[in-house]
Amino acid sequence: MTANPCAEILGVDERDILQEIMNIGFGSAAADLAGVIDLHVQLSVPQVRLLPASELPGYIDREVPDPGEITIIEQNFWSRFKGTALLVFPSGAGKALLGFLGEVGEHAFESDPLRILEKETLMEVGNILVGACVGKVAELLGDIVTYSPPRVLSGSLDDAALTRKVSDPGNHVIVLRTAFHFGNRDVQGHLFLVARHESVTWLRRALQGFMSRYA
Amino acid sequence: MNFAGVCDILNLGIVILDAEYRIRYWNDWMAMHSGIPREEMLGRDLFDAYPVLDTPAIRRSFKSVFTFGNFGFFSQKLHGHLFPIRTTGSFQGTFEHMQQSCTVCPLREGDGAGVTHVCITVQDVTEVAAYEKLLLEMNFRDSLTGVYNRRYFTSRLKEEFERHRRYKRSMSMLMIDID
């Protein structure tokens, strides 16, 4: 163990570039979401953190104001930029977004509990949001990403499973965090992008490549 | 060897659209299940061939795939189906149309290029959906009389109470002895 293991992954400069890229990427994602599909979403200035994988669940818990009743949508993305996107919605967000998708309920079973529809709604909205944000950041770094279908994690974060998924517990992960707010629906939540340890080498090179265009 | 024929032997519907939503590919599975041969579909506008698909939600999903290069997912739970294909055989009584789980994927001409086409895959999930429906029925109804059971009452009461709280409207409950 060195004094500052995080520095081995990403230097201060590289972290700043990544933050700037996210800022540009998310800004353009928000503009496209509003322009193309009429989804008005505000994204806060993103933060970049380097964490030991084992501290990830604790970090997410601390960053979400009321971790009591939440719904988490998980979606994996892979290419040279690999990782997991986690969207954390407060309870009730599904209800608030139900109408957004239009003809919900028409084909659903009469006996389907409302919460199944809410989950499905959150998955669809989450899929679009993750696709826009991850896609834009990857595009700026010269990568094209493939996605797994989104899925709902039951109520809380399974600490061990999450840590295992994103990295060996001994490794570090890069966490990109932003808060989002659906302007016309009064729904807010948090988006965490967790880059897998394997993509770090590629990420460093891509960040340097991005900077060299301006050097 | 040309592997393109694989698309015709898969147990999966495959439809490819260009940026104007014209059908560029319609595999054998789609032809067989929809009853419309490939020659008739090629070059046709998807929304012209299937006006029921012309909804804001579906257009939004396609636009999102073209713009962001992400994947669109149409779950059976939320949408039932995309392509209205009549069910045949043992599920006719349960569902009027084949239940589908569909994915919309981006296609690019080359590495780093923009999305020029989208590919829709259609999976038949009628059997699973029918079993799920049956399980729900068994969970909520008394098997002898077909009347809703206590579990259904409790879950509906919870839903109605939530609705009452959300809209702050009055709520009443009637208890009637019917025997």
Side-chain angles (χ1 to χ4, degrees):
Chain A
M1 272 310 242
T2 53
N4 185 6
C6 289
E8 287 173 14
I9 305 183
L10 232 51
V12 179
D13 286 353
E14 288 163 333
R15 212 184 309 178
D16 285 349
I17 306 168
L18 183 56
Q19 184 145 346
E20 191 48 38
I21 287 176
M22 283 179 66
N23 224 348
I24 302 169
F26 286 12
S28 128
D32 280 359
L33 284 169
V36 180
I37 55 170
D38 202 28
L39 179 66
H40 294 270
V41 59
Q42 290 156 10
L43 296 155
S44 73
V45 176
Q47 287 176 3
V48 180
R49 282 266 192 302
L50 298 159
L51 298 171
S54 56
E55 286 177 19
L56 181 62
Y59 170 74
I60 292 177
D61 258 359
R62 281 195 303 280
E63 290 295 314
V64 177
D66 176 23
E69 286 218 18
I70 51 174
T71 308
I72 300 168
I73 310 293
E74 178 209 58
Q75 194 166 14
N76 298 321
F77 51 92
W78 72 90
S79 181
R80 286 171 294 179
F81 186 35
K82 273 190 203 57
T84 302
L86 296 164
L87 274 165
V88 184
F89 287 103
S91 72
K95 278 196 198 85
L97 289 172
L98 261 184
F100 167 73
L101 293 161
E103 56 298 293
V104 165
E106 211 174 286
H107 311 285
F109 302 144
E110 189 194 329
S111 50
D112 256 351
L114 196 58
R115 61 194 164 74
I116 292 184
L117 292 180
E118 286 172 32
K119 272 188 184 176
E120 297 284 323
T121 306
L122 288 181
M123 285 204 279
E124 291 213 4
V125 174
N127 176 46
I128 294 176
L129 193 57
V130 169
C133 291
V134 174
K136 288 289 176 185
V137 171
E139 188 186 309
L140 288 168
L141 292 170
D143 199 13
I144 289 171
V145 191
T146 310
Y147 306 86
S148 69
R151 68 191 186 105
V152 174
L153 298 183
S154 59
S156 69
L157 282 169
D158 177 346
D159 295 13
L162 179 67
T163 310
R164 255 201 322 278
K165 182 192 284 291
V166 293
S167 184
D168 285 335
N171 279 336
H172 284 70
V173 290
I174 302 170
V175 191
L176 318 173
R177 166 198 174 275
T178 185
F180 58 86
H181 182 252
F182 291 102
N184 47 356
R185 295 269 170 189
D186 198 24
V187 173
Q188 42 200 330
H190 290 81
L191 169 65
F192 297 90
L193 302 181
V194 185
R196 290 183 68 118
H197 194 259
E198 301 101 274
S199 34
V200 169
T201 317
W202 168 81
L203 187 60
R204 292 186 80 156
R205 210 174 307 139
L207 290 172
Q208 284 153 11
F210 181 82
M211 269 322 277
S212 66
R213 275 185 257 163
Y214 300 94
Chain B
M1 184 174 172
N2 179 8
F3 293 111
V6 170
C7 293
D8 281 327
I9 55 171
L10 289 176
N11 185 20
L12 189 74
I14 298 177
V15 181
I16 295 177
L17 305 177
D18 63 19
E20 273 83 50
Y21 304 119
R22 278 190 304 260
I23 297 168
R24 291 294 167 201
Y25 186 72
W26 185 259
N27 78 342
D28 278 359
W29 190 97
M30 286 304 296
M32 187 172 81
H33 287 87
S34 68
I36 311 174
R38 184 180 303 168
E39 309 79 74
E40 253 178 61
M41 285 311 247
L42 292 186
R44 270 189 86 178
D45 183 309
L46 175 77
F47 299 119
D48 176 50
Y50 286 101
V52 293
L53 297 184
D54 198 355
T55 67
I58 291 173
R59 278 188 181 269
R60 185 165 44 224
S61 175
F62 287 161
K63 271 190 192 169
S64 151
V65 176
F66 273 116
T67 312
F68 302 115
N70 66 336
F71 286 51
F73 300 98
F74 289 92
S75 66
Q76 180 272 330
K77 281 210 176 64
L78 206 56
H79 298 273
H81 57 80
L82 271 190
F83 295 92
I85 296 173
R86 293 214 170 265
T87 39
T88 48
S90 54
F91 301 114
Q92 256 169 321
T94 320
F95 293 110
E96 190 186 349
H97 293 111
M98 174 204 282
Q99 298 298 292
Q100 299 159 2
S101 170
C102 300
T103 309
V104 186
C105 329
L107 297 176
R108 302 166 200 266
E109 292 288 359
D111 207 16
V115 180
T116 56
H117 294 76
V118 296
C119 171
I120 310 169
T121 63
V122 184
Q123 198 185 347
D124 179 359
V125 294
T126 313
E127 194 174 344
V128 176
Y131 282 129
E132 195 181 341
K133 197 173 179 182
L134 184 68
L135 273 175
L136 277 171
E137 287 281 315
M138 284 162 66
N139 199 23
F140 284 138
R141 281 182 195 273
D142 175 71
S143 59
L144 180 67
T145 57
V147 175
Y148 285 123
N149 62 16
R150 189 191 169 92
R151 189 178 291 131
Y152 184 74
F153 169 74
T154 321
S155 76
R156 291 286 294 123
L157 183 65
K158 203 168 158 239
E159 270 177 46
E160 285 307 321
F161 190 68
E162 274 181 25
R163 205 192 311 275
H164 149 76
R165 273 214 307 217
R166 194 158 67 241
Y167 298 113
K168 298 185 175 56
R169 282 205 293 254
S170 58
M171 177 179 156
S172 47
M173 198 172 83
L174 301 181
M175 204 166 172
I176 307 167
D177 191 347
I178 50 168
D179 62 10

